[in-house]
Amino acid sequence: MDNQATRKLRIAVDIGGTFTDLAAFDESGKTLAFGKALSTYDDLVRGIADTMSEAGVDAGEGVLFLHGSTIVINNLLERTGARTALLITEGFRDIYEIGRINRPDAYNLHFKKHQPLVARADRFEIEERLLANGAVFKPLNEDQVRSVAKELKERRVEAVAVALLHSYRNAAHENRVKEILSEELPGVFVSVSSELSQEYREFERTSTVVANAYVGPRVQGYLGELESHLTDDGFKGRFFAVQSTGGLFPVSDARRMCVNMLESGPASGVIGVSAVAKHLDLKNAIAFDMGGTTAKAGLIRNGQPLTTSSAKIGAYGSDLPIQLPMIDIFEVGTGGGSIARVEAMNALRVGPRSAGSAPGPACYGRGGTEPTVTDANLVLGRLDPDHFLGGAMKLNHEAATEAIRQKIADPLGISIEGAAEGILQIAATTMSYAVKGVTTERGLDPGGFAMLVYGGAGPLHASAIARELSIGRVIIPYSPGHFSAYGMLFGDLRYDFVRSVFRTLDPTILGELEDAFLVLEEQGRSAVDNASAGELPVVLARSADMRYRGQEHAVTVDLPAELSFSRDADRIKAAFDAEHLQRYGTSAPREEAEIVSLRVTAYGRMLAPELKPRPLSDVPGDIVPSRVKPVHFGAAGWLQTPVHLRESLVPGAKLEGPALIEEHASTTVIWPGDGLVIDAFGNIDVTIGEI
């Protein structure tokens, strides 16, 4: 990308656990640029500046800055958020700690309950009460709120969460409490549940608003620092953050609704996969992302990313719910930086603890001594010490070998190659659980999907994971090492609205439901117009949470634009039956259905990079590699393996494994028996051998 004053850049930056990635799209020249630098935990903004410098991107040329970050999830998992207080309806002080009293493992003697983010001493009951229909049963005691505010000031709390009963029906009491707290506690972050969730379930709503308040001061400070840095560098465009839905919203909204950024980076990758799948005419695809600390999977089904209305954050069984719409992503703690270790009874374990970027894997030469997945790939020849990040970052083969020898091979009495292979096999098996989490656990066969693999470490392991799951086709998209940042460029402005209604699906209430949808749609149009100054076309999508009478939990059913409650109740019921059958393997067409919640998503369509196919060349079969090197392939041992530079492989090029395909931020491993073709869009389309 040339440095020209005429450039109009859309800059997308994703901060990961090990690397910070950048993708920049020039709206005038229709060109792309990419950058990658180590994430700087002590100063995240510095890592962004390093990435922009590496890519040759000038903030002054930016018309739009898009940003996804791990700051929210990290603060929640590491418990490094602000000291937070909770104000809740009288009599409900302990709802946050009691939770659902779920016990996922009935016979697990080591089970531990979730640990609230707010200590009981910092939870305060407020005199007020609304009925389930939103009517006032007991007025708000404003004097008591002011008294509590004075106590919170003495305690020097940094954030306050407010969760009042039935505020999803009537937000008046919560809004008044926020006004009083803002008057009495200037500078303190205040969050109310009705601004985040308009759904029932008091525990989940309380947990969500507490999480938002807990991370609020840290996220506000970080976004403010980043915004100031960009302004100082001459940026005069719009600053949008990425939500867990993959949609964009202004940074002013992100400062209030911080928890919406929970899974911003992973969600962007799924949006990118959705765009690639559309151009490849793939209705169904698995999105698999492997970075430095985690591996994540999402699903494209019938052309759309699979979404959920809630998620849980933390260890299994002791996690805390977040009740917000987001892309359904399953995550495991295995990445390139995952540390391998030998535990009791000579058990080899990999992850979830990660070396991160500081000190990083042993081969980074930054002081790390623990063997990691990246070290194993280097020892087995799948990474080249002189060509990592295009040669910009040299890897220390000797340090990687020594770490694996001391910590794994010698304790187990096996060869260094055997130890490295064991690390990668365990990693591949663990990562396959992420894919199963969005396929088999949803009643879907992963073997019926193509898997699009990205992330800096993903293509190294794509073939091994595909074999674990009997997946026959793997696609490595353009620039996989920057793909989550690249995916942001395909995001749209997005707002989600929901209203809990609790109605039986029968003719007497169809008009009421249609009217409720129209109100939500008007809210959606208004939100998009306000955020975009009316410059973006608005697209609306409807869905409904439905269940059979007597059920507790609901499933979300997409309602195409041509369906209306006032006209198509039978078709809507049939769509629900089909969705329930897909999800749970059973349905009850003769049973009555209930509408639990109505949902409307409002999109402001934005300009995205145009993916243009190129003509396929008639490439001869004997493509000359850049070099040949020994690479270890499991039972086959060391094989002389051709190494190809990705930019040298034109559309139509075909290769048979074994082979390595190197590019700036990633390496694709093609196993013996695998074959590949470069498609018209430049993707590496791999056919997996015997599975």
Side-chain angles (χ1 to χ4, degrees):
M1 199 184 256
D2 297 325
N3 248 338
Q4 298 175 358
T6 56
R7 292 195 304 182
K8 296 172 62 178
L9 301 183
R10 295 181 65 198
I11 304 167
V13 175
D14 172 45
I15 297 180
T18 304
F19 287 98
T20 296
D21 299 323
L22 177 145
F25 172 55
D26 182 3
E27 294 181 357
S28 54
K30 309 299 183 185
T31 55
L32 286 162
F34 298 98
K36 182 181 283 282
L38 288 168
S39 296
T40 48
Y41 297 128
D42 58 326
D43 182 2
L44 295 175
V45 173
R46 177 163 52 86
I48 294 174
D50 292 344
T51 309
M52 293 177 69
S53 176
E54 198 266 345
V57 167
D58 182 354
E61 297 173 306
V63 295
L64 190 64
F65 186 86
L66 312 176
H67 187 42
S69 173
T70 56
I71 186 170
V72 174
I73 187 70
N74 287 348
N75 270 270
L76 290 174
L77 293 178
E78 297 168 7
R79 301 289 176 120
T80 54
R83 181 175 179 180
T84 304
L86 171 63
L87 273 58
I88 198 163
T89 301
E90 186 177 34
F92 289 81
R93 181 183 184 186
D94 294 317
I95 188 174
Y96 182 43
E97 188 157 352
I98 294 171
R100 291 286 168 197
I101 323 180
N102 291 339
R103 192 179 179 89
D105 298 318
Y107 302 104
N108 182 357
L109 299 180
H110 302 286
F111 172 78
K112 295 181 180 179
K113 276 177 53 54
H114 67 266
Q115 291 296 315
L117 298 171
V118 176
R120 192 172 192 272
D122 289 330
R123 300 177 217 149
F124 297 85
E125 296 185 357
I126 299 299
E127 293 179 18
E128 67 85 38
R129 186 65 180 265
L130 299 177
L131 299 179
N133 64 2
V136 176
F137 178 74
K138 178 187 284 189
L140 174 67
N141 186 335
E142 296 190 7
D143 291 337
Q144 185 200 21
V145 176
R146 294 189 186 278
S147 177
V148 170
K150 289 181 173 60
E151 185 170 348
L152 296 180
K153 189 173 184 178
E154 293 175 0
R155 296 189 182 196
R156 297 185 178 180
V157 299
E158 300 172 77
V160 183
V162 182
L164 303 183
L165 197 65
H166 302 310
S167 59
Y168 66 93
R169 288 286 194 205
N170 180 355
H173 283 184
E174 280 197 350
N175 291 338
R176 182 55 184 150
V177 170
K178 183 175 182 178
E179 290 175 359
I180 294 171
L181 293 177
S182 298
E183 293 170 7
E184 300 288 339
L185 300 170
V188 171
F189 185 91
V190 180
S191 182
V192 298
S193 68
S194 54
E195 290 184 351
L196 299 168
S197 173
Q198 292 293 323
E199 294 182 74
Y200 76 116
R201 297 190 185 279
E202 297 309 313
F203 166 55
E204 287 78 4
R205 293 176 66 251
T206 300
S207 178
T208 301
V209 71
V210 169
N212 192 62
Y214 184 75
V215 301
R218 305 290 183 265
V219 175
Q220 271 197 345
Y222 164 69
L223 292 176
E225 182 184 355
L226 177 55
E227 198 167 20
S228 296
H229 172 80
L230 292 173
T231 300
D232 291 343
D233 280 356
F235 177 72
K236 297 178 181 178
R238 292 180 179 175
F239 183 175
F240 286 168
V242 183
Q243 304 177 64
S244 299
T245 58
L248 309 173
F249 65 158
V251 69
S252 56
D253 290 336
R255 283 201 179 103
R256 294 184 299 108
M257 300 180 286
C258 312
V259 76
N260 285 51
M261 295 175 61
L262 188 69
E263 292 283 7
S264 56
S268 297
V270 179
I271 295 298
V273 167
S274 179
V276 172
K278 180 180 179 181
H279 284 83
L280 296 178
D281 200 26
L282 283 174
K283 296 293 184 183
N284 302 304
I286 296 165
F288 181 81
D289 174 13
M290 181 185 176
T293 56
T294 60
K296 299 161 279 282
L299 200 70
I300 308 301
R301 184 171 161 222
N302 297 324
Q304 298 296 323
L306 195 66
T307 59
T308 180
S309 59
S310 63
K312 292 188 176 181
I313 305 302
Y316 177 69
S318 60
D319 38 25
L320 288 164
I322 303 295
Q323 185 171 266
L324 290 170
M326 59 186 70
I327 287 180
D328 195 358
I329 293 171
F330 198 97
E331 184 170 332
V332 295
T334 302
S338 293
I339 294 171
R341 63 200 181 281
V342 176
E343 293 187 344
M345 306 296 293
N346 283 341
L348 177 58
R349 308 289 187 193
V350 180
R353 192 164 62 90
S354 174
S357 62
C363 63
Y364 280 14
R366 296 164 61 91
T369 59
E370 302 286 346
T372 68
V373 171
T374 297
D375 294 308
N377 277 305
L378 179 61
V379 165
L380 296 179
R382 300 177 193 182
L383 287 175
D384 194 299
D386 296 321
H387 294 84
F388 191 70
L389 293 184
M393 182 177 175
K394 303 296 183 182
L395 300 182
N396 190 326
H397 187 279
E398 183 179 344
T401 303
E402 188 63 16
I404 292 176
R405 184 188 68 77
Q406 285 189 8
K407 301 295 177 68
I408 308 296
D410 287 355
L412 295 178
I414 59 177
S415 68
I416 291 174
E417 290 87 353
E421 281 287 357
I423 292 170
L424 298 189
Q425 288 175 17
I426 290 172
T429 300
T430 302
M431 289 186 289
S432 72
Y433 298 152
V435 177
K436 291 176 181 177
V438 295
T439 53
T440 54
E441 291 188 15
R442 302 288 186 268
L444 303 168
D445 175 17
F449 291 76
M451 185 167 69
L452 278 78
V453 180
Y454 53 99
L460 283 163
H461 303 267
S463 184
I465 296 167
R467 282 174 162 79
E468 284 274 341
L469 298 164
S470 298
I471 293 172
R473 184 184 183 190
V474 169
I475 298 169
I476 312 297
Y478 183 72
S479 195
H482 307 91
F483 195 76
S484 287
Y486 178 62
M488 294 178 192
L489 298 174
F490 294 90
D492 292 313
L493 200 64
R494 174 169 173 162
Y495 287 92
D496 292 271
F497 296 89
V498 59
R499 177 181 173 186
S500 294
V501 292
F502 304 107
R503 294 287 190 275
T504 300
L505 183 60
D506 65 51
T508 63
I509 52 89
L510 299 182
E512 176 189 341
L513 297 179
E514 186 68 22
D515 289 343
F517 262 132
L518 293 174
V519 170
L520 294 176
E521 288 176 341
E522 184 54 38
Q523 292 175 348
R525 288 191 191 91
S526 177
V528 172
D529 286 343
N530 289 338
S532 67
E535 295 176 1
L536 299 179
V538 179
V539 177
L540 301 169
R542 292 180 176 185
S543 59
D545 293 350
M546 301 179 66
R547 66 188 181 190
Y548 293 114
R549 181 182 290 277
Q551 283 186 321
E552 165 65 11
H553 294 285
V555 296
T556 301
V557 181
D558 291 331
L559 303 178
E562 66 270 14
L563 291 184
S564 164
F565 270 116
S566 60
R567 301 188 308 269
D568 303 292
D570 291 341
R571 291 176 62 191
I572 290 170
K573 173 61 164 57
F576 164 61
D577 291 333
E579 185 67 28
H580 198 280
L581 179 64
Q582 177 69 71
R583 180 66 64 92
Y584 299 111
T586 183
S587 65
R590 296 183 180 180
E591 294 291 327
E592 284 188 329
E594 294 179 336
I595 309 296
V596 177
S597 297
L598 306 179
R599 299 180 182 275
V600 165
T601 300
Y603 300 94
R605 294 300 189 196
M606 300 185 68
L607 178 68
E610 186 177 357
L611 301 180
K612 291 184 177 180
R614 293 161 56 193
L616 299 179
S617 302
D618 186 14
V619 182
D622 54 344
I623 302 173
V624 179
S626 65
R627 62 190 188 283
V628 176
K629 60 175 288 190
V631 179
H632 197 278
F633 288 96
W638 291 97
L639 300 177
Q640 290 298 315
T641 302
V643 181
H644 298 269
L645 301 181
R646 183 164 183 175
E647 58 265 29
S648 70
L649 299 177
V650 298
K654 297 180 181 180
L655 292 172
E656 297 292 329
L660 298 182
I661 313 298
E662 287 186 346
E663 54 191 300
H664 176 75
S666 189
T667 298
T668 301
V669 177
I670 308 299
W671 277 65
D674 292 351
L676 73 83
V677 61
I678 306 299
D679 69 20
F681 294 94
N683 303 303
I684 302 174
D685 196 332
V686 184
T687 300
I688 303 300
E690 261 188 65
I691 54 176

